[in-house]
Amino acid sequence: MTRAPAKKPAARKSAAAPQAAATPAPPARVRPALGPPCVEIEGVHKWYGDTHILRGVDLSIRDNEKVVILGPSGSGKSTLIRCVNALEPYQEGRIKVVGCDLKGPPKEATAARRKTGMVFQQFNLFPHLTILENCTLAPMWVLKKPRKAAEEEAMELLERVHIGEQARKYPAQLSGGQQQRAAIARSLAMNPEIMLFDEPTSALDPEMVGEVLEVMTEMAYEGMTMMVISHEMSFAREVADRVIFMDEGEIVEIAPPDQFFSNPKHERSREFLSRIL
């Protein structure tokens, strides 16, 4: 009698390895909604002697908007932004900042400057004052804030630009990127409604540019109205609501960054981009 072959024991099912939880994607950055006009520039002309620097510039910038101004050297970019901050007089036209006419009564021009912060190519920090003192000087003298309140707010701002640990140091003890971030914190200490940047990374070593642009990008997504002169194309692509191209004292083209960089309408814009990209 033939015996039936013995059945093999059923193989044990191995327990499934626990699956690692998927890392949630970081929340998408949301741009604040644009508000009413914050800066209104109408028919502005500016001369230095016989040299016509600005030729009938018209531009409106809305609350929460970020505009990046591009153009070759000598195109009038820095002069325009200095006119907006009342650092340069202009001979014709009108500029209003947060409703204040720069050619109106002196109180209006003063009010406009108090609502405007500016960061220059050079850091312009007081070398004999600590970083904290640089950030508290204007709030205490101009806004009449008590020292304790001014120092607390300044420390919050220095933390915000990632140099809180440098507060007690002097400017010469900081790197160029740290000094420029201190200059940004100093401007923010006056609670401006619009920030102007005149090529803020042009004086920095390449490795320090990123840390300043990171702070500026954070400010943009927090809702600060910004008018930026820069040749940092990646910043313009990511942050700008509009790109403005200037040449020979005139605005040649205004467009959203995607359109400007991929399909500029003006021949002069295309020529400029072909040289820098």
Side-chain angles (χ1 to χ4, degrees):
M1 184 172 169
T2 306
R3 300 178 70 180
K7 291 183 179 180
K8 293 183 179 180
R12 289 185 178 181
K13 292 183 178 180
S14 58
Q19 299 246 346
T23 304
R29 284 175 161 176
V30 178
R31 290 178 178 271
L34 302 185
C38 182
V39 176
E40 298 169 87
I41 303 170
E42 300 176 1
V44 168
H45 289 262
K46 163 73 177 176
W47 283 268
Y48 285 122
D50 294 331
T51 306
H52 201 174
I53 303 297
L54 298 177
R55 301 169 178 266
V57 174
D58 292 294
L59 178 64
S60 178
I61 300 171
R62 298 172 64 183
D63 194 30
N64 296 332
E65 188 175 16
K66 293 83 183 150
V67 299
V68 174
I69 304 176
L70 305 177
S73 178
S75 60
K77 308 183 302 296
S78 292
T79 300
L80 176 62
I81 211 169
R82 289 173 67 86
C83 287
V84 171
N85 200 27
L87 294 175
E88 290 281 357
Y90 52 96
Q91 286 77 27
E92 293 182 15
R94 185 177 74 161
I95 298 177
K96 294 181 71 175
V97 178
V98 199
C100 300
D101 192 334
L102 297 188
K103 285 196 171 180
K107 286 186 177 180
E108 280 202 47
T110 300
R113 291 193 67 176
R114 287 188 179 181
K115 295 174 182 179
T116 306
M118 186 158 181
V119 178
F120 301 86
Q121 297 178 27
Q122 302 299 327
F123 321 124
N124 294 335
L125 298 170
F126 292 111
H128 63 292
L129 300 179
T130 66
I131 298 303
L132 182 62
E133 290 168 340
N134 267 279
C135 293
T136 58
L137 187 65
M140 289 170 56
W141 282 88
V142 179
L143 302 182
K144 308 301 181 184
K145 287 187 178 181
R147 178 181 296 275
K148 184 178 179 181
E151 289 184 347
E152 288 176 353
E153 291 181 18
M155 282 304 304
E156 290 177 6
L157 291 170
L158 291 173
E159 293 289 348
R160 179 176 165 188
V161 299
H162 315 301
I163 53 168
E165 73 284 357
Q166 311 293 341
R168 305 292 175 181
K169 294 182 179 179
Y170 290 89
Q173 297 174 292
L174 273 60
S175 69
Q178 290 171 330
Q179 289 187 61
Q180 193 62 293
R181 284 183 281 163
I184 292 173
R186 179 183 58 183
S187 291
L188 292 174
M190 293 296 288
N191 302 314
E193 296 187 31
I194 177 171
M195 284 289 292
L196 312 176
F197 294 86
D198 187 3
E199 299 195 40
T201 60
S202 63
L204 300 178
D205 292 336
E207 61 185 10
M208 297 177 185
V209 169
E211 59 193 38
V212 173
L213 293 181
E214 178 185 359
V215 168
M216 292 173 62
T217 301
E218 290 172 0
M219 290 172 57
Y221 281 98
E222 287 168 2
M224 176 61 72
T225 306
M226 299 169 69
M227 191 173 178
V228 183
I229 298 173
S230 178
H231 289 152
E232 299 294 336
M233 299 298 113
S234 60
F235 175 82
R237 288 177 186 272
E238 177 181 357
V239 171
D241 293 297
R242 292 184 295 164
V243 172
I244 297 164
F245 177 67
M246 291 187 67
D247 190 31
E248 297 185 351
E250 298 178 320
I251 292 179
V252 175
E253 185 165 349
I254 301 177
D258 288 345
Q259 177 183 320
F260 180 80
F261 288 110
S262 63
N263 187 28
K265 302 300 182 185
H266 199 281
E267 176 59 32
R268 184 66 185 90
S269 305
R270 292 193 289 270
E271 180 185 349
F272 175 78
L273 290 174
S274 70
R275 293 180 177 178
I276 64 172
L277 293 181

